[in-house]
Amino acid sequence: MPGSPRPTDVMVSCMASLIRDGESVYHGLTSQLPLLAMAYAWRRLGRRFTWLSVSESYMPPPETVRVLPSSGGPYAEPYGAGVVTTMDVFDLAAQGRIDVMFFGAAQVDAQGNTNLTVIGSYERPRVKLPGGAATAYLFPLVRRIILWARHDRRTLVERVDFITGPGRVRVERGLETLLCTNKALIEFTREGPILRALHPGISVEEARAGAGFDLLVEGEPRVLEAPDAIGMAIIEEHDPHGLRYLQRYG
Amino acid sequence: MPGSPRPTDVMVSCMASLIRDGESVYHGLTSQLPLLAMAYAWRRLGRRFTWLSVSESYMPPPETVRVLPSSGGPYAEPYGAGVVTTMDVFDLAAQGRIDVMFFGAAQVDAQGNTNLTVIGSYERPRVKLPGGAATAYLFPLVRRIILWARHDRRTLVERVDFITGPGRVRVERGLETLLCTNKALIEFTREGPILRALHPGISVEEARAGAGFDLLVEGEPRVLEAPDAIGMAIIEEHDPHGLRYLQRYG
Amino acid sequence: MPVAAEKLVGLREAVELVEEGSTITVSGITFSRNPTALVAALIERGARGLGFVDREPGLALDLLVAAGVVSSVRAAMATLELYGLAPSVRRAVEEGRVGFLEDTCGAVIAGLRAGAYGLPFMPVAGVLGSQLVELHEREDTWRVIRDPFGGGEVVAVRAIRPDVALIHAHYCDPYGNCVIEGPRYEDELKIRASRLVIVSAEEIVDTDALRRLPHPLSSTSLHVDAVVHAPGGAWPTAMHGRYGADWGAIEEYARMAREGRALEWFSKHLRPRLSGWGW
Amino acid sequence: MPVAAEKLVGLREAVELVEEGSTITVSGITFSRNPTALVAALIERGARGLGFVDREPGLALDLLVAAGVVSSVRAAMATLELYGLAPSVRRAVEEGRVGFLEDTCGAVIAGLRAGAYGLPFMPVAGVLGSQLVELHEREDTWRVIRDPFGGGEVVAVRAIRPDVALIHAHYCDPYGNCVIEGPRYEDELKIRASRLVIVSAEEIVDTDALRRLPHPLSSTSLHVDAVVHAPGGAWPTAMHGRYGADWGAIEEYARMAREGRALEWFSKHLRPRLSGWGW
């Protein structure tokens, strides 16, 4: 019997639901949740897309994908239809041919800017974060960026301490920027961040209280579909040891 | 019994003698003579160098090399130790790590400039030549360039009709530029073109008469060594059908 | 961009994708891995007035020019090697029927890299001092700029983005995931720099045949628009590991092309092969 | 540049080539194909104060920082992935002992390309709008320039030319002709961009074993200065087609490094392996 969906699993299905048929989708390092979302989109939602990865394994049979402590090693997506390098994918991105990329963030602000660089000042860091990896490079280039982050006021801030990913550039250019948190789905728009959907059992007020910026609401936000038993079975097949919960999104 | 050496064969051994141990040596298209020179340098002169080619075949066993109508196809140097692309070699050249390159020329002038572009004006060509290929790119980059050309006043001119290869840049930078003709070996220097050596039986006067620019002479020019019987046997092994004579250098 | 859409089409369908006024590029060099099947189909279709860009083309270009398919050329060299100047190209340029912008290998590579990498331009080493610089500054394809980090003058090459790449590969799956073996020349860049990519292949294989290849794919389905099965599709040029150049046919081409009879050669040798490639 | 000189040396000799004050780069990413044997030898040698540049380093970098070998870092990300921030890097940077210039993947690739291609700089797409631009303009590693062909502003990245590349490969001949299988990351660029290249390999093979490979060599003898035989030389990181990451050892590393005991882990796990690699 698969377990009950936890907020982490709802994040996975939320991210998965944002992938559309025919798109080219890339995930990077420390991206266990995006990896699961891609597998979920393929297997549970029946989405068909081009699967690209920092592991340079291209179009692995989704059934064979496994969550490991690294989402970039050769054994997470071991049976790809060939090696396609990250350089190759990033060149496609520069040509505007990559549709979807996932990014984590330590801070996200009202404009969709993200910070993966530093808490405090760059010169005197309070916390030295891991760095944005491809964030700065890809933010102006990829059609749809799917962020994931914790839904609290330390993470969802009025202004990021450092603009690693220029969300403002994206919003200005009309590129889609969506954020899956452990409470909600937020979209960054010219009008501001809009609360698009909520995890089951989370209220608008709760979502607003957890954000350090104003969340716009248009009508009644949808309720995100939690993975059902089939969906949970799929997630657990890919992550039997529950490594996805280690990032403590609940 | 191998045949007697003809001027073409002396050109081959002349070019071969300019390759030194330890160098990186590349040849391009329509380079049947350089190909033979590289094989001759390796086998007859015992020179050991890194063999690179437009055919992208790296370090072929020199014994297996064959003269074909194309010096760029996969069967002229078929048993390379791997594929090394022209791009890779040209990047090494940009870093100053390619020592020797061969170039043909329809015209060569007193400064070592070469023309492979056009006879007449570019806009109204009397003869549209094949184009310089890598000439313009590599002239400022490669340590030693070995040119080959016909020794007559149509080819060795006071000024080329079009500067495809900027020999002047080479001379100014102290890069070596040598020309093997069917009569002589000429080096382009800051002082001007110097007659370094003559084919057997060719006089200084004859060499000077065949050049449209002044040839400097320092002392008595050397006489180039024609391939001996062993050398001719090697050349004929690589080119049993005498394709090397088709370019009519004699 | 459809993903798993099959792109396997006939030769006729494939070359119908080439729009009027396009600039094309081809795989291979002089007498190696030219996409002859695709070129033959383009000629048979009666395409006219296309542009052409490549580093060191040979047979394919001369044929295309002889047939009037190509009316402007940018290349570092156009040669039939030991068989002399490319006769149709030479004649057409000398008679002013075809424009020719001479380039140089390193700069063609730089331009294709910029195109493939999604960049507006790339610097290139060397070149300065050649009169080619004047030609290209006039065409606005090169600019001499200052290294922004203080290293002096350098030539910037504007991105080369051919409209169409015609590529002959060793094998390809129906989605456009292809593998070229042996010499690559700049074909993997051409695939990435071009807006529309047509791959003909010696063999069409299942995607499974590509799994666990130790080396990167030459193209992915994201790069390729149409796939054609054309065994022997580089003939009479050489195909690494499969067949050598047919020197008899090539020598005959060179002779006939010098006599202005390139199209006769086409009718005699290439046209009859079209049906074998499913025309 | 000696050609056919054998470059096969012991681990000790190899790392003695790394000069004081050098900036190094390493193969692989986070937990894949790190050149752990070479890194261990560098630590054992007692090297200090080196610079480090890479795209997405993990274990190797954290170890080098913990050991004081590296005192300044330029990278797009330094992470132990699911095991959290790279603890030694984080601590050293927060305490001001190690300088960290954050970069971004596309720009690291552009800089390595410029280095590998012998160019002073390369443009890079994206990036504009990120505060990283200010950092790099201050360091003079990036400049916002105008596209000379009128396309607007673009970031130019100064060539990255590491002094030393430490590369772990699948196989290599004694001359430095090496082959990497599976994911390449930017290792083939690192080999070409670096002034001195040390390759450790799972297998040392005859040159004949490389003949008729269908794909280009990862390095040639022209690129490589020293070759070391180090089977298992990426442990505990993964080696495509040969072995997976040793997650137990890596988890233990992460835990001990967080406690400031990274060097204890080194003594317990990596130092004992040095003799197996001929130290």
Side-chain angles (χ1 to χ4, degrees):
Chain A
M1 270 281 290
S4 309
R6 293 168 50 175
T8 300
D9 302 303
V10 179
M11 287 172 79
V12 166
S13 66
C14 172
M15 285 194 260
S17 70
L18 301 173
I19 297 172
R20 299 185 200 142
D21 278 330
E23 294 187 320
S24 52
V25 184
Y26 178 91
H27 77 77
L29 291 178
T30 327
S31 294
Q32 284 75 13
L33 299 193
L35 186 81
L36 281 171
M38 286 165 74
Y40 194 89
W42 192 284
R43 298 183 66 196
R44 186 68 191 105
L45 307 181
R47 306 284 158 81
R48 292 296 173 262
F49 52 92
T50 302
W51 184 305
L52 303 159
S53 156
V54 68
S55 74
E56 308 198 344
S57 179
Y58 166 74
M59 295 298 280
E63 296 73 18
T64 67
V65 166
R66 288 295 171 272
V67 173
L68 293 173
S70 169
S71 63
Y75 293 92
E77 295 146 297
Y79 300 104
V83 175
V84 173
T85 64
T86 284
M87 285 200 284
D88 210 359
V89 177
F90 285 5
D91 291 339
L92 284 164
Q95 295 176 331
R97 295 159 87 181
I98 296 298
D99 298 309
V100 179
M101 171 69 183
F102 302 90
F103 283 113
Q107 293 181 325
V108 185
D109 72 18
Q111 301 189 301
N113 297 312
T114 70
N115 175 15
L116 273 156
T117 301
V118 68
I119 303 295
S121 79
Y122 190 85
E123 289 69 27
R124 296 175 184 282
R126 206 156 67 242
V127 183
K128 193 253 168 274
L129 298 169
T135 301
Y137 175 66
L138 291 180
F139 253 57
L141 301 175
V142 170
R143 214 176 302 263
R144 183 179 322 114
I145 281 180
I146 302 173
L147 303 168
W148 79 97
R150 198 176 314 285
H151 200 114
D152 62 30
R153 300 179 76 97
R154 274 190 17 192
T155 306
L156 309 186
V157 295
E158 186 57 39
R159 279 184 68 150
V160 292
D161 288 8
F162 187 98
I163 300 174
T164 315
R168 200 166 73 115
V169 170
R170 294 186 58 75
V171 168
E172 281 166 5
R173 294 191 187 169
L175 300 167
E176 291 175 70
T177 312
L178 295 133
L179 168 63
C180 293
T181 73
N182 47 350
K183 290 186 177 160
L185 168 63
I186 295 163
E187 179 168 6
F188 296 92
T189 72
R190 277 171 222 244
E191 287 67 47
I194 300 178
L195 183 64
R196 289 287 185 213
L198 292 161
H199 280 233
I202 301 292
S203 68
V204 170
E205 290 62 43
E206 219 173 326
R208 281 187 156 157
F213 48 72
D214 275 349
L215 271 178
L216 306 176
V217 178
E218 296 177 343
E220 189 68 18
R222 284 186 299 113
V223 177
L224 292 167
E225 225 171 307
D228 60 7
I230 299 171
M232 283 306 294
I234 289 171
I235 291 175
E236 290 179 5
E237 186 184 327
H238 292 290
D239 180 26
H241 306 298
L243 293 180
R244 66 193 177 282
Y245 299 129
L246 286 185
Q247 291 189 307
R248 283 173 287 174
Y249 292 108
Chain B
M1 270 281 287
S4 309
R6 293 167 52 177
T8 300
D9 302 303
V10 180
M11 288 172 80
V12 166
S13 67
C14 172
M15 285 195 261
S17 70
L18 301 172
I19 297 172
R20 300 187 199 141
D21 278 330
E23 294 186 321
S24 52
V25 184
Y26 178 91
H27 78 77
L29 291 178
T30 327
S31 295
Q32 285 75 12
L33 299 193
L35 186 81
L36 281 170
M38 287 165 74
Y40 193 89
W42 191 285
R43 298 183 64 196
R44 186 69 191 105
L45 307 182
R47 306 285 157 83
R48 293 296 172 263
F49 52 92
T50 302
W51 184 305
L52 303 159
S53 156
V54 68
S55 74
E56 307 199 344
S57 180
Y58 166 74
M59 294 297 281
E63 296 73 19
T64 66
V65 166
R66 288 297 172 271
V67 173
L68 294 173
S70 169
S71 63
Y75 293 93
E77 294 146 298
Y79 300 104
V83 175
V84 173
T85 64
T86 285
M87 285 200 285
D88 209 359
V89 177
F90 286 5
D91 291 339
L92 283 164
Q95 295 175 332
R97 294 158 88 181
I98 295 298
D99 298 308
V100 179
M101 171 69 181
F102 302 91
F103 283 113
Q107 293 181 326
V108 185
D109 72 18
Q111 302 190 300
N113 297 314
T114 70
N115 175 15
L116 273 158
T117 301
V118 70
I119 303 296
S121 79
Y122 190 86
E123 290 69 25
R124 297 176 184 281
R126 204 156 69 242
V127 183
K128 193 251 167 274
L129 299 169
T135 301
Y137 175 67
L138 291 179
F139 253 57
L141 301 175
V142 170
R143 213 176 303 261
R144 181 178 324 114
I145 279 179
I146 301 173
L147 303 168
W148 79 97
R150 198 176 313 288
H151 199 116
D152 62 30
R153 300 178 76 97
R154 272 185 22 185
T155 307
L156 310 186
V157 295
E158 187 55 41
R159 276 183 70 150
V160 292
D161 288 9
F162 188 97
I163 300 173
T164 315
R168 201 165 72 113
V169 170
R170 294 186 58 75
V171 168
E172 281 167 3
R173 293 192 188 168
L175 300 167
E176 291 176 71
T177 312
L178 294 133
L179 168 63
C180 293
T181 74
N182 46 351
K183 291 188 177 163
L185 167 64
I186 294 163
E187 179 168 7
F188 296 92
T189 72
R190 275 170 224 243
E191 287 67 46
I194 299 177
L195 183 64
R196 289 286 184 215
L198 293 161
H199 280 233
I202 302 291
S203 67
V204 170
E205 291 61 41
E206 219 173 326
R208 280 186 157 157
F213 48 72
D214 276 349
L215 271 177
L216 306 177
V217 178
E218 297 178 343
E220 190 67 20
R222 284 187 299 113
V223 176
L224 292 167
E225 224 171 308
D228 60 7
I230 299 172
M232 283 307 292
I234 288 171
I235 291 175
E236 291 179 5
E237 185 184 328
H238 292 290
D239 181 26
H241 306 298
L243 292 181
R244 67 193 176 283
Y245 298 129
L246 286 186
Q247 290 190 308
R248 282 174 287 175
Y249 291 109
Chain C
M1 213 173 295
V3 186
E6 287 221 12
K7 290 157 189 161
L8 197 58
V9 297
L11 206 48
R12 192 186 297 265
E13 251 176 294
V15 297
E16 270 165 10
L17 296 172
V18 181
E19 291 181 6
E20 225 174 299
S22 292
T23 292
I24 67 172
T25 189
V26 299
S27 61
I29 55 170
T30 51
F31 298 133
S32 295
R33 209 155 44 65
N34 290 13
T36 332
L38 293 170
V39 163
L42 211 49
I43 294 172
E44 191 68 5
R45 196 198 87 175
R48 315 285 300 175
L50 302 184
F52 182 97
V53 60
D54 195 4
R55 177 164 64 90
E56 291 184 325
L59 186 77
L61 172 62
D62 203 69
L63 252 175
L64 286 164
V65 166
V69 174
V70 157
S71 64
S72 79
V73 178
R74 177 175 175 185
M77 175 176 261
T79 175
L80 299 191
E81 298 205 51
L82 219 49
Y83 301 119
L85 306 179
S88 312
V89 174
R90 178 184 169 181
R91 191 177 306 116
V93 174
E94 289 174 3
E95 293 174 1
R97 286 182 286 113
V98 161
F100 194 99
L101 176 61
E102 182 171 324
D103 213 309
T104 184
C105 295
V108 174
I109 291 167
L112 287 172
R113 277 177 167 161
Y117 303 167
L119 300 172
F121 73 96
M122 272 270 298
V124 65
V127 182
L128 286 168
S130 170
Q131 277 188 270
L132 294 180
V133 176
E134 304 159 21
L135 298 184
H136 283 268
E137 288 217 309
R138 206 186 305 150
E139 298 283 330
D140 207 22
T141 42
W142 299 355
R143 277 284 166 86
V144 179
I145 63 169
R146 298 207 70 83
D147 167 13
F149 300 101
E153 286 195 329
V154 64
V155 173
V157 179
R158 189 199 277 264
I160 297 175
R161 299 218 57 194
D163 296 303
V164 183
L166 306 178
I167 304 290
H168 191 61
H170 287 75
Y171 44 107
C172 193
D173 77 6
Y175 310 106
N177 302 300
C178 100
V179 173
I180 295 168
E181 297 188 332
R184 298 299 202 274
Y185 319 114
E186 289 75 56
D187 295 348
E188 292 170 347
L189 286 181
K190 290 170 181 168
I191 286 168
R192 284 153 180 77
S194 300
R195 294 185 174 86
L196 182 94
V197 177
I198 303 175
V199 172
S200 63
E202 291 289 323
E203 276 182 66
I204 304 298
V205 298
D206 273 355
T207 305
D208 270 333
L210 308 172
R211 284 189 207 288
R212 320 267 342 200
L213 268 184
H215 52 287
L217 292 171
S218 296
S219 68
T220 71
S221 63
L222 292 173
H223 300 106
V224 174
D225 299 276
V227 178
V228 176
H229 186 211
W235 182 92
T237 70
M239 190 75 190
H240 173 88
R242 305 241 170 179
Y243 45 88
D246 182 339
W247 297 120
I250 289 172
E251 187 171 15
E252 192 182 338
Y253 177 80
R255 188 163 36 74
M256 292 178 75
R258 272 196 301 274
E259 297 163 1
R261 297 161 60 213
L263 287 183
E264 248 179 76
W265 182 92
F266 172 77
S267 299
K268 180 174 162 197
H269 288 296
L270 258 183
R271 181 177 285 138
R273 286 171 187 256
L274 277 166
S275 65
W277 293 320
W279 181 263
Chain D
M1 212 173 297
V3 186
E6 288 221 12
K7 289 157 188 159
L8 197 57
V9 297
L11 206 48
R12 193 186 299 264
E13 249 177 294
V15 297
E16 270 165 12
L17 296 172
V18 181
E19 291 181 4
E20 225 174 300
S22 293
T23 292
I24 67 172
T25 189
V26 300
S27 61
I29 55 169
T30 50
F31 298 133
S32 294
R33 209 157 41 68
N34 290 15
T36 332
L38 293 169
V39 163
L42 211 49
I43 293 172
E44 192 67 6
R45 196 197 89 175
R48 316 284 301 175
L50 302 183
F52 182 97
V53 59
D54 195 4
R55 177 164 63 91
E56 291 185 325
L59 185 77
L61 172 63
D62 204 68
L63 251 176
L64 286 164
V65 166
V69 174
V70 157
S71 65
S72 78
V73 178
R74 176 175 175 185
M77 177 177 260
T79 175
L80 297 191
E81 298 207 52
L82 219 49
Y83 301 119
L85 306 178
S88 312
V89 175
R90 179 184 169 181
R91 190 177 307 117
V93 173
E94 290 174 4
E95 292 174 1
R97 285 182 286 113
V98 161
F100 195 98
L101 176 61
E102 183 170 324
D103 212 309
T104 184
C105 295
V108 174
I109 291 168
L112 287 171
R113 277 176 168 161
Y117 302 167
L119 300 172
F121 73 97
M122 274 270 297
V124 65
V127 181
L128 285 168
S130 170
Q131 277 188 269
L132 294 179
V133 177
E134 304 160 22
L135 297 185
H136 283 268
E137 288 217 309
R138 205 187 305 150
E139 297 284 328
D140 207 23
T141 41
W142 299 356
R143 277 284 166 85
V144 179
I145 63 169
R146 298 207 70 82
D147 167 14
F149 300 100
E153 285 195 330
V154 65
V155 173
V157 179
R158 189 199 278 263
I160 296 175
R161 298 217 59 194
D163 296 303
V164 182
L166 306 177
I167 304 290
H168 191 62
H170 287 75
Y171 43 106
C172 192
D173 76 7
Y175 310 105
N177 302 301
C178 101
V179 174
I180 296 169
E181 298 189 332
R184 299 298 202 272
Y185 318 114
E186 289 75 54
D187 295 349
E188 292 170 346
L189 286 181
K190 289 170 181 169
I191 286 167
R192 284 152 180 79
S194 299
R195 294 185 173 87
L196 182 93
V197 177
I198 303 176
V199 172
S200 62
E202 292 288 322
E203 276 182 64
I204 303 298
V205 299
D206 273 355
T207 305
D208 271 332
L210 308 172
R211 284 188 206 287
R212 319 265 346 197
L213 266 185
H215 53 287
L217 291 172
S218 296
S219 69
T220 71
S221 63
L222 292 173
H223 300 105
V224 173
D225 299 275
V227 178
V228 176
H229 186 210
W235 183 92
T237 71
M239 190 74 190
H240 172 89
R242 306 240 168 178
Y243 45 89
D246 183 339
W247 297 119
I250 289 171
E251 188 171 15
E252 191 181 339
Y253 176 80
R255 187 165 34 77
M256 291 178 75
R258 272 195 302 272
E259 297 164 359
R261 295 162 60 213
L263 288 182
E264 249 179 76
W265 182 90
F266 172 77
S267 299
K268 181 175 162 195
H269 287 298
L270 259 183
R271 180 176 285 137
R273 285 171 188 257
L274 277 166
S275 64
W277 294 319
W279 180 263

